[in-house]
Amino acid sequence: MKPLSVVLLMLLAVPCFAADLTGNWAVRDPLPDGTFRTTYLDLHQEGSRITGSIRVTQFYYKIVEGAGGPDGFTLTGSMMDGTNERRVKYEGKLVGDELHVATRRRPDSELIQMVAHLAPPGEGAYPARLPPPVIHKVPYNGLAKTPPMGWNSWNKFAGRVDDTAVRSMAEAMATNGMKDAGYQYINIDDTWEASRDLQGNITTNKKFPDMKALADYVHSKGLKIGIYSSPGPNTCAGYEGSYGHEEQDARTYAAWGIDYLKYDWCGARNIYTDQEMQAVYQKMGDALLTSGRPILYSLCQYGRDDVWKWGPEVGGNAWRTTGDIRDTWDSMTKIGFSQDELAAWAAPGHWNDPDMLEIGNGGMTDDEYRTHMSLWSILAAPLLAGNDLRNMTPTILEILTNREVIAVDQDKDGKQGRRIAKSGDQEVWVKPLSEGAQAIGLFNRGGTPEKSTVNWSDLGLKTAPAHARDLWAHSDLNLGGAEYSVTVPAHGVVMLRIAK
Ligand code: GLA
């Protein structure tokens, strides 16, 4: 038997002997705009073996190699992104109660040194998997009878969007002719989120001091306001997502006066498989329906798992069909001209979304932007401008507000157009319109002006249509004969509306 004093001494000494790396270490990564993201290293040390997980922005890595101890350790984290493996490596040591760690953004880039502290319990840890709900049909919310039109912050501003920018964009849309042309939504994309309060309510970061006041302002301009989140714990940019808080967040959005939600898969891929997407999206679809406010539901999961087949079932009003657009001819045409086979899935209330517009962002010519606007309208796509509305050339404004082209997009029958002919770089697309009219896009994907021809018989017409209008020239055409031929500018379009 040891004397009591010895036992007490041993107990007191335990924390010293136990000093190891075990703990959930957090590195706060402040960004210049006053928001922050946190990297977490959730470590478990047993002897010289270290296991656990690492969370960086939206990604959770499982530690697959971890060795060492307080005086020096190395870790390798691994995660699967589809079929690609992503890896991160860290090295470090314990200094007092701080964990000094270093990593490289790429294998050949310089070491970044960071200091981590123990995080409050539960924070940043790999979240427990919440079982996805049983599939059922979410009733249609009655919104988006025609494709949504508005503006979204991401393409131009990415993380630089804030309250002031959103207000001035609403002001611009209300006064520059866009609102009169049908644009309605002012949508805040990623990077508005801070953490949750003690009741689990999502809060806004410094850039958005008062979301309700902002929504009131946008409404006062006769417009509607949209917001962004993810079904995962994190958004794509690494901010707080709605995971496990779906109903609570939907209620918060409703209380703020939000009219539109873009819901981006990103952080959910760490927890769920693509095959579980429907159930996961259904959860927010239900939550929005019971939030007490009509909120347009826009799914963003890059067209995975044939979303068009189940988008309406989860209450979705629109679903992205592709990865992110960029402001280049290649990116825009690759996306736009690949939508042909999805036509059957578009209908009033439920739209294929080939991503937001890049018109006016500077990476394409005016003719290329006319192609962008025409193609998206023939596709009955959401028309979400992605440029700086306060500052655009008259030509860009004219492209975005061409009412005759917009009328094609907004046609009440809600039919998506299809490619009816292709010859080299020339493509002819046709969109059926209400009352038997049709919109025709003669597209020239080549780099030099080319003659393009449409045969009336290909459109099911026996003779030339009685009424024809050139929607960019804003002039009526007198057509005769069996076909119509026109020279189309390089990377350009001629767009017609014909009626019997
Ligand atoms: C994804 C989406 C984009 C944008 C960003 C924000 O990449 O596809 O449209 O919302 O996330 O982080």
Side-chain angles (χ1 to χ4, degrees):
M1 274 282 278
K2 292 189 177 85
L4 189 61
S5 55
V6 175
V7 173
L8 275 176
L9 257 180
M10 284 174 66
L11 281 176
L12 283 173
V14 164
C16 295
F17 298 131
D20 67 18
L21 302 169
T22 299
N24 184 23
W25 301 90
V27 187
R28 258 199 183 190
D29 189 2
L31 301 172
D33 59 12
T35 66
F36 60 82
R37 287 180 297 199
T38 311
T39 292
Y40 297 91
L41 298 126
D42 193 2
L43 309 181
H44 303 273
Q45 187 187 334
E46 275 172 54
S48 62
R49 184 164 171 259
I50 305 161
T51 54
S53 64
I54 302 169
R55 165 177 165 184
V56 188
T57 67
Q58 55 165 302
F59 299 114
Y60 289 85
Y61 297 85
K62 187 168 185 285
I63 296 175
V64 287
E65 286 162 27
D71 295 336
F73 64 87
T74 55
L75 308 170
T76 301
S78 161
M79 70 160 278
M80 293 310 288
D81 185 6
T83 50
N84 297 326
E85 190 196 12
R86 286 172 176 263
R87 284 195 162 216
V88 283
K89 286 180 193 286
Y90 286 81
E91 58 188 57
K93 63 179 178 203
L94 196 60
V95 180
D97 58 358
E98 292 178 340
L99 195 70
H100 289 206
V101 284
T103 187
R104 294 176 204 277
R105 296 252 189 264
R106 287 182 308 278
D108 54 347
S109 64
E110 67 190 55
L111 262 188
I112 303 169
Q113 312 277 353
M114 296 174 290
V115 176
H117 294 96
L118 282 175
E123 193 176 296
Y126 195 98
R129 186 186 141 90
L130 302 170
V134 176
I135 303 272
H136 65 93
K137 177 160 173 45
V138 179
Y140 171 47
N141 60 12
L143 300 173
K145 294 254 164 64
T146 61
M149 291 177 66
W151 173 86
N152 174 292
S153 59
W154 187 255
N155 283 357
K156 175 74 184 177
F157 293 92
R160 295 180 309 281
V161 62
D162 62 10
D163 178 279
T164 313
V166 172
R167 281 172 193 255
S168 54
M169 234 48 81
E171 166 79 29
M173 183 182 280
T175 53
N176 69 6
M178 289 180 74
K179 179 180 156 193
D180 294 342
Y183 291 86
Q184 198 182 15
Y185 290 97
I186 294 282
N187 292 349
I188 305 164
D189 208 279
D190 205 351
T191 79
W192 61 268
E193 315 87 339
S195 41
R196 293 186 181 276
D197 68 13
L198 290 174
Q199 286 74 47
N201 296 309
I202 186 71
T203 63
T204 55
N205 62 37
K206 258 184 144 170
K207 300 190 295 168
F208 292 91
D210 187 342
M211 200 58 100
K212 167 98 177 66
L214 179 57
D216 288 347
Y217 178 82
V218 172
H219 292 149
S220 78
K221 299 282 162 197
L223 299 169
K224 296 184 189 298
I225 184 165
I227 211 164
Y228 165 100
S229 189
S230 170
N234 296 94
T235 66
C236 292
Y239 291 81
E240 189 75 23
S242 293
Y243 184 68
H245 293 272
E246 293 80 3
E247 289 183 7
Q248 192 175 17
D249 284 0
R251 281 197 302 272
T252 301
Y253 304 151
W256 284 340
I258 298 295
D259 307 295
Y260 187 121
L261 173 69
K262 171 173 168 183
Y263 206 44
D264 194 341
W265 185 244
C266 264
R269 74 176 116 191
N270 299 302
I271 296 170
Y272 298 113
T273 63
D274 279 14
Q275 291 66 43
E276 290 167 324
M277 279 177 174
Q278 177 172 353
V280 173
Y281 272 93
Q282 171 188 302
K283 222 172 174 183
M284 185 52 98
D286 279 333
L288 292 176
L289 263 194
T290 52
S291 71
R293 191 176 171 86
I295 300 180
L296 193 152
Y297 189 25
S298 157
L299 319 186
C300 175
Q301 40 77 286
Y302 341 112
R304 285 157 85 143
D305 196 33
D306 291 352
V307 58
W308 38 88
K309 295 185 181 160
W310 51 263
E313 303 292 303
V314 302
N317 298 111
W319 45 83
R320 281 271 299 277
T321 55
T322 71
D324 288 11
I325 194 168
R326 280 172 299 110
D327 184 21
T328 65
W329 169 253
D330 267 5
S331 166
M332 184 274 287
T333 50
K334 216 180 200 167
I335 290 178
F337 288 111
S338 69
Q339 303 295 298
D340 182 40
E341 283 172 11
L342 300 183
W345 306 99
H350 313 287
W351 308 102
N352 289 312
D353 173 7
D355 208 358
M356 303 167 293
L357 302 173
E358 289 283 9
I359 296 168
N361 281 334
M364 291 183 246
T365 65
D366 290 343
D367 273 331
E368 291 171 343
Y369 286 140
R370 274 183 206 104
T371 296
H372 192 358
M373 184 76 187
S374 307
L375 187 50
W376 262 236
S377 295
I378 285 178
L379 294 174
L383 297 178
L384 294 170
N387 60 325
D388 188 341
L389 305 183
R390 302 163 301 189
N391 173 21
M392 58 181 140
T393 64
T395 308
I396 292 300
L397 182 61
E398 192 237 295
I399 294 173
L400 284 171
T401 55
N402 183 330
R403 289 173 185 234
E404 300 196 70
V405 173
I406 290 173
V408 170
D409 180 75
Q410 296 290 304
D411 185 79
K412 68 176 167 48
D413 281 9
K415 299 222 168 74
Q416 180 171 325
R418 299 209 60 173
R419 175 170 31 226
I420 61 152
K422 178 168 165 57
S423 155
D425 287 329
Q426 312 307 308
E427 297 197 14
V428 181
W429 287 63
V430 173
K431 180 184 198 280
L433 302 174
S434 47
E435 278 121 47
Q438 305 188 62
I440 306 171
L442 297 116
F443 294 97
N444 175 11
R445 298 177 66 174
T448 50
E450 286 286 342
K451 204 168 113 180
S452 184
T453 301
V454 55
N455 296 303
W456 304 128
S457 60
D458 290 348
L459 272 66
L461 302 175
K462 292 198 183 80
T463 55
H467 303 281
R469 179 129 178 114
D470 182 322
L471 304 187
W472 286 107
H474 301 297
S475 58
D476 290 334
L477 297 173
N478 239 330
L479 302 177
E483 57 179 42
Y484 172 66
S485 283
V486 64
T487 301
V488 185
H491 289 183
V493 62
V494 169
M495 194 162 164
L496 308 180
R497 180 184 192 281
I498 58 165
K500 279 177 218 144

